[in-house]
Amino acid sequence: MNAAKIFLAGLIFALVFSFTAAHAEDVDSYFSWEIKNLDDYQKYDALFKDVSPSDEVSPRNEIYKRISLGRYYEALLLCSMSEVYQKIVLGTNYFDESFTELTAKLYLETDELDAAERKIIFLLNNAPDNLTKVRASILKVDLLNRRGNYREAFQTAQEVENLLKSTPDDKLTLINLSRAARACNGLEDINTSLKIVNAIYPAIQTTFGENSVEMSYLASTLIELCLKTKEYEKGKGWLNFKESQANKNSNTNLPAVAETETQAAEFYFETNDAARGEEMLSKALTSADSCSERNYLFESLKLYKEINSVAAKYLDENNPLVLNSEFGLAYVKGNAGDFLQATEFYEKNLPKFKKRFGEENGDTLDMMDTLGENYLL
């Protein structure tokens, strides 16, 4: 890939000499939101408080609180409310590019890719300066990677490199390279991906910190690369890093713990360690159950889908992990008001539950009770 070599020549060389003085404490979080027109914004804060059922003053603090808990769907709901209140107080033409960027990132985190695309396009079309266009373009790379459009993602990363020539920014350069490495991995250009990752890893660690979103993103790329290069022990090391990272916030960001455990399960299944894979998937299911018990409705729904996808891929359809993840999925769908699909799940799995666990099993009885209730609805 000649384009990749040119891309690397310009950027990696610069990185070696640019980041020795960077410090984690100087870097904003991934979900930063820089408020402009602060005096007017304080009026918007007051309006938000008046119409909100809570006693909290700042919508920004409330959004950040949800983000820290991994409750991205609730954060998005607050973002939608905020957009309305901003226009009431600050005018219908008010445009907060940093807030739009935050909302786009939350849509990406919740796999609402079409909604993320709309925000990204709006941001690109209305960017007030070059750096805003750079950030929006990096989000576009992220979106394309998530959709599996790796070639276009890499091409967009190259466009970002050109934009950065007129307004250099070390942090954005690192983030763009990290997304380019993911695109190369998707294109099966393993050598280029590894070169990028090896070049930026020290700077990512120093600039953003061990527990940052960027380190987690890079670790995920490295885990995928280790699977492809069969460097399984190194991959396990990165899995341990991600688990340690997630467990530091296990009491707050439970969804991140479950996602890490699910990723670990898939890694072990791929490396033919089925026992360890089932162990990690069982942990992920327990974490998803805890999310459900805490009424993390949309988060638990997303987790059960991911767990069930892995379980169904590697295990027999009558395996308890397959059945219990389907039960969790049906339970949450029912709580979300999707009674028809919940009923479909229950009808499909009730005979399997009876056969596998028996008529008197608690989940079997719950399933029968819920089916009866859903039929009445």
Side-chain angles (χ1 to χ4, degrees):
M1 184 185 288
N2 292 330
K5 292 177 182 176
I6 296 170
F7 187 58
L8 282 169
L11 287 175
I12 293 180
F13 179 80
L15 283 172
V16 174
F17 297 99
S18 300
F19 291 96
T20 54
H23 298 287
E25 61 266 27
D26 299 327
V27 182
D28 291 331
S29 70
Y30 175 74
F31 293 104
S32 62
W33 173 9
E34 297 298 329
I35 297 175
K36 59 183 182 179
N37 303 327
L38 185 60
D39 291 341
D40 287 334
Y41 188 88
Q42 287 170 341
K43 300 173 189 174
Y44 150 57
D45 275 4
L47 179 61
F48 190 96
K49 180 181 179 182
D50 288 341
V51 299
S52 173
S54 72
D55 294 327
E56 303 294 340
V57 176
S58 170
R60 186 177 189 237
N61 291 344
E62 282 298 285
I63 289 168
Y64 277 162
K65 185 187 295 183
R66 268 62 176 190
I67 289 172
S68 69
L69 293 170
R71 303 185 74 163
Y72 298 131
Y73 291 92
E74 288 185 14
L76 271 172
L77 178 61
L78 290 172
C79 283
S80 297
M81 293 170 62
S82 292
E83 283 187 299
V84 174
Y85 302 147
Q86 279 181 335
K87 292 187 183 301
I88 291 172
V89 176
L90 306 174
T92 54
N93 294 323
Y94 181 77
F95 170 55
D96 182 342
E97 64 274 10
S98 184
F99 180 72
T100 302
E101 182 183 345
L102 167 66
T103 308
K105 287 176 177 177
L106 288 170
Y107 277 127
L108 288 173
E109 292 300 319
T110 54
D111 294 330
E112 299 284 343
L113 301 186
D114 290 343
E117 183 177 31
R118 289 192 291 271
K119 287 291 181 185
I120 292 166
I121 290 172
F122 183 82
L123 193 57
L124 284 167
N125 291 338
N126 294 278
D129 52 56
N130 192 60
L131 283 180
T132 300
K133 189 173 182 180
V134 167
R135 291 197 300 271
S137 297
I138 291 173
L139 288 178
K140 183 180 176 181
V141 179
D142 202 354
L143 172 69
L144 291 166
N145 276 333
R146 289 170 188 257
R147 283 179 166 165
N149 299 338
Y150 300 117
R151 191 165 301 283
E152 188 179 351
F154 184 78
Q155 290 168 349
T156 305
Q158 290 180 293
E159 293 169 9
V160 172
E161 180 206 357
N162 291 327
L163 289 171
L164 282 165
K165 288 177 181 176
S166 59
T167 47
D169 185 287
D170 291 345
K171 297 167 191 171
L172 293 176
T173 298
L174 279 173
I175 295 171
N176 188 48
L177 277 167
S178 181
R179 303 314 185 259
R182 179 70 63 87
C184 289
N185 183 29
L187 289 168
E188 301 298 327
D189 187 353
I190 308 303
N191 289 335
T192 301
S193 188
L194 282 170
K195 285 178 182 177
I196 296 175
V197 167
N198 289 332
I200 66 176
Y201 165 67
I204 291 276
Q205 185 180 40
T206 305
T207 304
F208 297 101
E210 285 282 343
N211 295 316
S212 64
V213 169
E214 292 307 326
M215 271 299 294
S216 179
Y217 187 97
L218 194 66
S220 292
T221 301
L222 280 161
I223 290 166
E224 292 176 14
L225 286 169
C226 288
L227 274 175
K228 291 178 179 179
T229 58
K230 300 188 184 304
E231 295 180 280
Y232 299 142
E233 290 305 313
K234 188 181 290 187
K236 290 176 185 177
W238 283 109
L239 276 174
N240 290 337
F241 166 79
K242 285 202 70 175
E243 285 183 63
S244 174
Q245 190 184 48
N247 286 329
K248 285 178 181 177
N249 300 313
S250 60
N251 291 327
T252 52
N253 196 338
L254 194 56
V257 175
E259 286 182 356
T260 301
E261 290 164 342
T262 305
Q263 184 182 26
E266 187 156 26
F267 177 90
Y268 287 115
F269 281 125
E270 283 292 320
T271 57
N272 298 316
D273 189 348
R276 183 74 169 134
E278 288 198 48
E279 179 187 343
M280 294 309 300
L281 205 57
S282 179
K283 285 185 176 182
L285 193 57
T286 299
S287 297
D289 290 343
S290 296
C291 286
S292 178
E293 290 164 7
R294 296 183 189 186
N295 292 318
Y296 289 19
L297 189 63
F298 294 104
E299 286 76 17
S300 57
L301 183 62
K302 180 173 181 282
L303 290 170
Y304 282 128
K305 283 180 180 178
E306 291 172 353
I307 293 166
N308 183 251
S309 175
V310 174
K313 181 178 179 181
Y314 296 100
L315 301 171
D316 181 79
E317 65 175 10
N318 293 313
N319 185 287
L321 290 169
V322 176
L323 295 175
N324 285 323
S325 59
E326 293 235 350
F327 178 79
L329 197 54
Y331 179 80
V332 174
K333 280 185 174 291
N335 284 349
D338 191 349
F339 301 114
L340 288 176
Q341 194 156 14
T343 300
E344 182 182 319
F345 271 111
Y346 286 138
E347 287 177 334
K348 170 187 169 185
N349 287 301
L350 182 56
K352 297 177 184 177
F353 263 79
K354 287 181 177 179
K355 182 178 180 180
R356 184 70 177 78
F357 301 112
E359 295 272 355
E360 301 302 317
N361 173 265
D363 287 340
T364 304
L365 293 172
D366 285 345
M367 203 177 289
M368 293 170 69
D369 288 343
T370 307
L371 269 174
E373 292 169 4
N374 287 358
Y375 285 138
L376 289 174
L377 292 171

